Amino acid sequence: MELLLNAKQMKACDEQTIGLGIPSMVLMERAALAVVDEMGKAQLDLSKVLVVCGSGNNGGDGFAVARILFCSRQAAVSHGGSGDDLPRRTALEAVGSRQVTVWFVGKESSMTKETMLQRSICENCGLKISSNFPDGEYTTIVDAMLGIGLSRAVEGRYAEAVEWISAQNAQVVAVDIPSGISADSGCVLGTAVRADLTVTFAARKLGQVFYPGAEYCGRLVCRDIGIQTDWNNSGIHDASPCIFTYTKQDLTRLPKRVPDSHKGTYGKVLLIAGSEGMSGAACLAARAAFRSGCGMVRVFTPACNRIVIQTVIPEAMVTTWEPGKAKPGGLEEALAWSDVVGIGPGLGTSPDAKELLCYILNHSAKPLVIDADAINLLSAPLRPRCGEMCEQTAAECSASATDDRGKIPLSVQDSLKGRVILTPHLGEIARLTGMEKHTIAADPIETARSFADTYEVVCVLKNTRTVVSDGSRTYLNTSGNDGMAVAGSGDVLTGVLCGLLAQKVPVYDAATLGVYLHGLAGDAARDELGAHAVMAGDLCDFAGKVIKKYAR
């Protein structure tokens, strides 16, 4: 598990570390050494380096980087060494002809004391510092202008410097974060540097994970420089709620198989899915549930889908109903049989679909995944709670009142609490909440957190970076790729979530682990097939391969 920090939290960590007695200059020196080390590992062309520094501590890091590069150049000129010292000698020889230039774009009156000291050290070492626009060409440019504290649009001389860097034919290395990128949201604040390599410190920042910030960072490397950022750091929790993500080690938390077991041991999933012409969604969800480890799957679907589903996934049981005749008997028996229910993939928004959702909400207290069309139905009028299957058609049902918290009818809100995972994308949650999509996209963390807290559910807000929240804990997914932007990908996620719930994984853990596993399956599929060739069905197969590789 990995913490992802915003600017305020990172500042709190800095201050707490300095409060322990570790001087800011020591942290600055460690940061600069880390940047230079990563530049060497990346085998960048360092024959002609320009370091662009601002007035704040990010600029101080830059001055230190420039001085280390400059002094290593001087050391290389006089270095001899034996054959046993070949790796170090080779590295030094590579920098023997290096030219290092510093461009200071800030204001001297705004310089921090640490940055002033780093600049003075550079001058004492004989490194020339200029405030004028460079007129030469450079092989590598180091961006150390603005750092993670930026909260307003880049303008003036800084904006001019960003545009100048963007016009150069050079490799760009960003110190901590590309100048112009918000460390909190990843948005571009006016204009921003596009880096090939970003070296950040202590922890990844939210703005380096969210897009477009992730793209502007290029390859992102996080280095430990001695700043305290663990879960026990009170400064993190005091600054704002914590956001976390998973690493592959967290997959060891997936359910274990036991020798003395049978199919019922791993749970029974009921999928209410499919409509005429939409049997594929039901097949994908069922297959994904099996690949995630559940023991049995039953699909409740219109009769027209029986042959397709039994042909494509013969392992699944099928119970059918006729349009306009969604009798409670078959559904009632299927509910009694199941451990977990998933509803929505390919279901449609017909009156029959509304009746089915209404019945599930009013007659089952089992863990429930609500996806796709079922989410859209939640924002439409549903028949109030009743003791039996609705006898009226959905069109005849009276509209339930809603409160000012959102669009979900009051009559079903209690049915959702504590057991439900909802998986809306931006458009679906916009309909559920009445919010504008651009408002949601600007702060998906707060949107998911607020929605989950209001309705006491787990919200899986799907996007390029999916957010999962139960109102108190918030997870930001970092697995997955653009190859997963295909029809059926969401149906697979529903199946994965149901499969984990069936194996008795707690609701919130099933949501976070399921989203992470789903993304890793997409990454594995892309690596083998290429992003252009990935299909939703591939995600099912590669989910099983990921579990085999990492779960223990």
Side-chain angles (χ1 to χ4, degrees):
M1 192 175 293
E2 175 190 356
L3 276 174
L4 300 173
L5 304 185
N6 60 28
K8 188 176 181 181
Q9 290 171 324
M10 192 66 241
K11 182 179 180 182
C13 292
D14 278 336
E15 292 174 348
Q16 191 166 86
T17 302
I18 293 169
L20 295 174
I22 302 175
S24 178
M25 284 293 289
V26 170
L27 297 177
M28 192 172 282
E29 196 72 10
R30 289 176 177 174
L33 286 167
V35 172
V36 173
D37 184 46
E38 291 299 331
M39 291 169 70
K41 289 179 180 177
Q43 298 184 327
L44 302 181
D45 184 350
L46 304 179
S47 58
K48 195 171 183 181
V49 180
L50 174 68
V51 184
V52 189
C53 299
S55 303
N57 280 352
N58 191 246
D61 293 340
F63 280 118
V65 167
R67 185 239 312 150
I68 292 168
L69 290 171
F70 181 75
C71 291
S72 65
R73 177 191 66 83
Q74 291 182 317
V77 172
S78 58
H79 178 73
S82 64
D84 294 337
D85 196 27
L86 182 60
R88 180 169 180 264
R89 185 177 66 189
T90 302
L92 288 170
E93 286 172 351
V95 301
S97 59
R98 178 183 300 156
Q99 299 178 37
V100 181
T101 303
V102 177
W103 178 21
F104 178 60
V105 298
K107 295 180 179 178
E108 294 198 16
S109 59
S110 302
M111 294 177 74
T112 64
K113 62 180 182 179
E114 293 87 357
T115 301
M116 291 179 67
L117 181 54
Q118 289 288 5
R119 173 174 174 160
S120 177
I121 296 172
C122 283
E123 292 172 335
N124 293 339
C125 291
L127 186 57
K128 293 182 179 180
I129 300 168
S130 173
S131 296
N132 300 321
F133 271 84
D135 56 6
E137 294 183 352
Y138 299 89
T139 58
T140 298
I141 299 173
V142 178
D143 164 30
M145 291 187 287
L146 294 172
I148 66 170
L150 184 67
S151 59
R152 57 188 177 86
V154 180
E155 55 188 20
R157 187 170 172 82
Y158 282 107
E160 293 174 354
V162 169
E163 296 303 321
W164 183 90
I165 292 172
S166 299
Q168 305 309 302
N169 183 25
Q171 297 164 309
V172 178
V173 178
V175 177
D176 210 2
I177 195 168
S179 293
I181 294 296
S182 166
D184 295 344
S185 68
C187 68
V188 176
L189 298 173
T191 186
V193 170
R194 283 187 178 270
D196 299 292
L197 168 67
T198 297
V199 183
T200 196
F201 314 117
R204 288 193 289 174
K205 318 307 182 291
L206 290 171
Q208 296 166 334
V209 175
F210 279 121
Y211 285 88
E215 185 178 358
Y216 276 73
C217 284
R219 186 169 69 87
L220 177 65
V221 178
C222 183
R223 292 290 297 261
D224 180 8
I225 61 171
I227 297 174
Q228 304 298 309
T229 59
D230 58 40
W231 284 99
N232 298 320
N233 188 327
S234 60
I236 295 176
H237 299 275
D238 293 342
S240 53
C242 287
I243 311 299
F244 71 97
T245 192
Y246 283 147
T247 65
K248 293 183 178 68
Q249 290 180 334
D250 290 290
L251 291 179
T252 59
R253 299 168 54 205
L254 288 169
K256 307 294 189 295
R257 308 296 281 195
V258 293
D260 185 18
S261 61
H262 53 81
K263 60 188 176 183
T265 305
Y266 303 107
K268 306 169 191 174
V269 172
L270 171 63
L271 289 170
I272 303 172
S275 56
E276 186 173 359
M278 296 292 289
S279 58
C283 293
L284 288 168
R287 188 176 176 191
F290 275 124
R291 289 297 192 195
S292 302
C294 79
M296 304 171 74
V297 176
R298 185 170 183 171
V299 181
F300 191 79
T301 191
C304 60
N305 292 330
R306 176 189 291 277
I307 294 177
V308 173
I309 294 173
Q310 290 185 323
T311 301
V312 172
I313 182 160
E315 298 88 347
M317 295 176 283
V318 180
T319 300
T320 63
W321 53 275
E322 293 290 342
K325 300 178 182 179
K327 299 294 185 181
L331 184 55
E332 183 178 4
E333 187 274 328
L335 273 176
W337 168 88
S338 68
D339 297 312
V340 174
V341 180
I343 183 169
L347 186 65
T349 56
S350 68
D352 290 325
K354 291 183 181 181
E355 303 290 0
L356 291 170
L357 178 60
C358 179
Y359 189 82
I360 292 296
L361 292 174
N362 294 334
H363 292 79
S364 173
K366 295 176 179 179
L368 173 64
V369 179
I370 301 178
D371 180 40
D373 289 325
I375 293 175
N376 294 325
L377 290 172
L378 272 183
S379 61
L382 290 174
R383 181 172 173 78
R385 186 181 298 249
C386 55
E388 56 184 338
M389 191 73 168
C390 300
E391 295 179 357
Q392 295 173 292
T393 65
E396 296 170 330
C397 286
S398 59
S400 301
T402 61
D403 62 13
D404 58 5
R405 296 178 299 176
K407 297 274 189 174
I408 297 180
L410 288 169
S411 60
V412 300
Q413 289 183 20
D414 288 343
S415 303
L416 304 177
K417 294 179 179 179
R419 68 184 182 99
V420 172
I421 300 174
L422 283 97
T423 62
H425 55 57
L426 295 188
E428 289 166 341
I429 202 166
R431 288 188 285 275
L432 281 174
T433 61
M435 298 172 63
E436 297 292 334
K437 286 177 64 174
H438 65 84
T439 303
I440 297 168
D443 196 351
I445 288 176
E446 182 54 32
T447 300
R449 181 187 290 142
S450 176
F451 182 87
D453 183 61
T454 297
Y455 297 110
E456 298 181 41
V457 299
V458 174
C459 177
V460 176
L461 180 51
K462 298 184 292 192
N463 202 6
T464 307
R465 294 298 189 205
T466 293
V467 179
V468 183
S469 182
D470 64 357
S472 60
R473 298 168 291 180
T474 303
Y475 166 85
L476 179 60
N477 191 52
T478 52
S479 64
N481 60 85
D482 51 14
M484 300 171 68
V486 294
S489 182
D491 303 321
V492 173
L493 176 60
T494 295
V496 171
L497 298 177
C498 288
L500 295 179
L501 286 169
Q503 296 170 81
K504 298 181 175 58
V505 178
V507 175
Y508 184 72
D509 293 340
T512 54
L513 285 168
V515 167
Y516 185 57
L517 172 60
H518 181 251
L520 287 180
D523 290 339
R526 174 205 57 196
D527 292 345
E528 182 165 323
L529 305 174
H532 291 80
V534 174
M535 298 172 65
D538 299 321
L539 304 181
C540 301
D541 298 335
F542 280 94
K545 294 179 180 180
V546 169
I547 293 172
K548 177 185 176 183
K549 183 175 181 180
Y550 294 108
R552 293 191 294 272

